[in-house]
Amino acid sequence: MGIDSSRTAFERTRRSVGGGVSSGLRATMRPVPLFVERGHGAHLWDLDGDRYLDYVMAWGPLVHGHSHPQVVDAVARVATSMQVVGMGHRLEYEAAEAVLASVPGAQRLVWTNTGTEAVQVALRFARAATGRHRIVKFAKAYHGWHDSVYASMSADDTGESPVPAALGQSPNAHADLIISRFNDTAAIAELLAQAEERRIAAVLIDPIMSNAGVLTPEPGFLETLRSLCDRHGVVLIFDEVITGFRIARGGAAERFGVRPDLSVFGKAIAGGFTQSAVVGRADIIDLVEHGLTHAGTFNGNPVALAAVQAAMELSATPGVFDKLEDLGDAFEQAITDVLVSTGAPGSLRRVGSLAQFVPRDQATSLHGTDGLWAEIAAGMLESGVVFMPSGKIFLSTAHTLADIQETAARLERVLQQVSARSA
């Protein structure tokens, strides 16, 4: 593929946009961040008009592919009549009813705009509901860029005290944060036994460690966590920004049968538009009527909520998650066959339409997986297939078995080239 246009565009963008990208991790794409002109279905077209098979899917939101006509049509109808109006409209309740009908146990929600915002809103609800202030999160889990939770992102950051993850963070930002370890039942039980004394308001968890290697909960872990939170008066929050409306219509609550007190949804909730929500128990959400402030000019704007309503209709289509599961299974089998046949030092980990390349003897990372995966991602981009720098892979209902077979064939060629260079 001729990616010189992206190189030129990246260099030009760096002269006006900090880092040359609008979200920092995009800069880690190899050999260069791709600049595109349009997207449709499972494909993207770059500035030269070259077509790419896309497994980035906007870093997760596009469960139904780029420019799905049902989403685009719904948004177009609303956008010509109103944009942001600063007052109520029917889509506020119609979209909310559609989301609540999808998520087991959900009674009420509030709208906001991004996953990072929604996490902060959920933490405010938990503190108001409990009268406590401290939050427990798990090492390596990413819950947005906000100082209060952006900590202990490395595999080595397993101590209870949070480790800042970036420059510019306030030294006081993590005073209310406690770190535990995913799937370590004994550790979280010991912490929560002190919940009253240590003023622990909430446990914040990605039920699948989506940005830390797509690790799944061991049998009984979520159930035990639910029981511990109930016993010690702690609010259980599921961060489902990635897993929501992707691994099941009702997300982790449906897939694992464990209901949190609050869930945070983003990405796929709006089919490619900017919207998020905090969903959960009515008695907690209704604290907005009793002194809890929740605000935002763009919260629940009609354009985004038209997309939410359309995305919920698509998610409710019979068989849609069976299709995603079948595609994920076919992808896993095809790619695993290539990895084994070429002797590549890595494997694939998968839950539904969410997958992760796992290099042997090397940790995966939110910030990019170096070594073999960096070579794979660069080679695949040059051959017309776009993967994420972290090794995470998103499928959509727009992908086909033919796409998967094509991907496997190109991966085999890339791995052969990588092997030849290292010989």
Side-chain angles (χ1 to χ4, degrees):
M1 309 296 286
I3 58 174
D4 286 344
S5 62
S6 289
R7 295 184 192 278
T8 301
F10 183 50
E11 288 306 313
R12 177 174 175 176
T13 308
R14 290 176 68 187
R15 294 194 290 271
S16 57
V17 177
V21 292
S22 296
S23 183
L25 293 180
R26 297 176 197 171
T28 61
M29 182 176 284
R30 297 292 179 265
V32 66
L34 189 66
F35 279 68
V36 302
E37 199 71 44
R38 65 187 180 98
H40 183 78
H43 293 89
L44 294 165
W45 283 259
D46 71 6
L47 304 183
D48 290 325
D50 291 332
R51 190 181 78 159
Y52 296 78
L53 185 52
D54 182 23
Y55 290 100
V56 175
M57 288 287 120
W59 296 61
L62 301 176
V63 172
H64 306 289
H66 293 275
S67 305
H68 193 287
Q70 191 165 332
V71 176
V72 172
D73 289 350
V75 167
R77 286 195 300 271
V78 171
T80 55
S81 58
M82 57 179 171
Q83 297 81 46
V84 177
V85 292
M87 52 196 70
H89 53 88
R90 71 174 68 236
L91 280 165
E92 285 184 297
Y93 56 81
E94 290 178 348
E97 288 164 0
V99 171
L100 296 178
S102 301
V103 179
Q107 298 173 316
R108 205 90 83 233
L109 65 73
V110 293
W111 296 116
T112 184
N113 296 286
T114 69
T116 293
E117 284 184 60
V119 165
Q120 296 306 308
V121 172
L123 298 185
R124 177 173 288 183
F125 275 116
R127 288 175 171 130
T130 61
R132 305 172 188 169
H133 59 276
R134 304 191 80 182
I135 307 299
V136 177
K137 66 151 277 192
F138 296 89
K140 293 182 67 178
Y142 177 71
H143 299 293
W145 51 259
H146 195 279
D147 277 5
S148 66
V149 291
Y150 191 43
S152 297
M153 298 301 300
S154 167
D156 299 325
D157 298 338
T158 56
E160 184 180 299
S161 298
V163 178
L167 293 175
Q169 291 186 268
S170 167
N172 302 315
H174 300 141
D176 290 336
L177 192 62
I178 303 171
I179 307 300
S180 191
R181 296 178 295 277
F182 190 71
N183 278 331
D184 190 334
T185 301
I188 192 65
E190 183 178 352
L191 268 178
L192 294 186
Q194 307 167 57
E196 179 61 39
E197 300 94 310
R198 300 188 68 175
R199 312 305 294 160
I200 296 173
V203 172
L204 173 64
I205 185 170
D206 182 348
I208 294 172
M209 293 281 276
S210 308
N211 286 303
V214 186
L215 294 173
T216 56
E218 292 179 356
F221 180 68
L222 292 179
E223 291 84 352
T224 300
L225 186 57
R226 173 70 280 175
S227 176
L228 288 168
C229 286
D230 287 339
R231 186 183 312 162
H232 299 293
V234 173
V235 175
L236 178 58
I237 304 171
F238 279 5
D239 180 346
E240 294 223 55
V241 171
I242 288 179
T243 56
F245 312 108
R246 173 167 286 282
I247 63 169
R249 182 188 176 201
E254 177 182 329
R255 185 147 189 141
F256 299 116
V258 176
R259 296 183 180 183
D261 300 301
L262 298 173
S263 295
V264 175
F265 292 103
K267 292 190 185 287
I269 196 173
F273 286 78
T274 302
Q275 188 63 211
S276 63
V278 179
V279 179
R281 284 168 37 191
D283 63 308
I284 297 179
I285 300 295
D286 286 348
L287 289 169
V288 294
E289 299 180 6
H290 303 284
L292 187 150
T293 299
H294 172 60
T297 298
F298 292 96
N299 291 352
N301 75 83
V303 174
L305 292 192
V308 170
Q309 188 175 38
M312 292 303 98
E313 291 169 355
L314 289 169
S315 293
T317 303
V320 68
F321 287 97
D322 291 335
K323 178 179 180 179
L324 284 167
E325 192 70 45
D326 290 345
L327 285 167
D329 183 60
F331 185 89
E332 181 179 13
Q333 290 186 37
I335 300 306
T336 299
D337 287 347
V338 171
L339 295 174
V340 170
S341 67
T342 58
S347 59
L348 208 65
R349 193 179 287 148
R350 180 185 67 86
V351 180
S353 61
L354 170 63
Q356 171 76 49
F357 175 79
V358 183
R360 191 179 304 154
D361 302 324
Q362 182 183 341
T364 58
S365 170
L366 169 70
H367 300 99
T369 299
D370 293 324
L372 177 62
W373 181 255
E375 294 189 74
I376 289 174
M380 292 298 280
L381 184 67
E382 290 171 332
S383 74
V385 179
V386 192
F387 282 145
M388 289 177 60
S390 64
K392 196 154 67 259
I393 296 158
F394 292 106
L395 288 123
S396 75
T397 57
H399 286 92
T400 65
L401 293 176
D403 291 332
I404 292 169
Q405 292 164 1
E406 179 183 336
T407 302
R410 295 186 186 188
L411 177 61
E412 185 171 21
R413 290 196 294 272
V414 167
L415 285 170
Q416 288 170 346
Q417 293 165 1
V418 170
S419 179
R421 285 197 298 268
S422 61

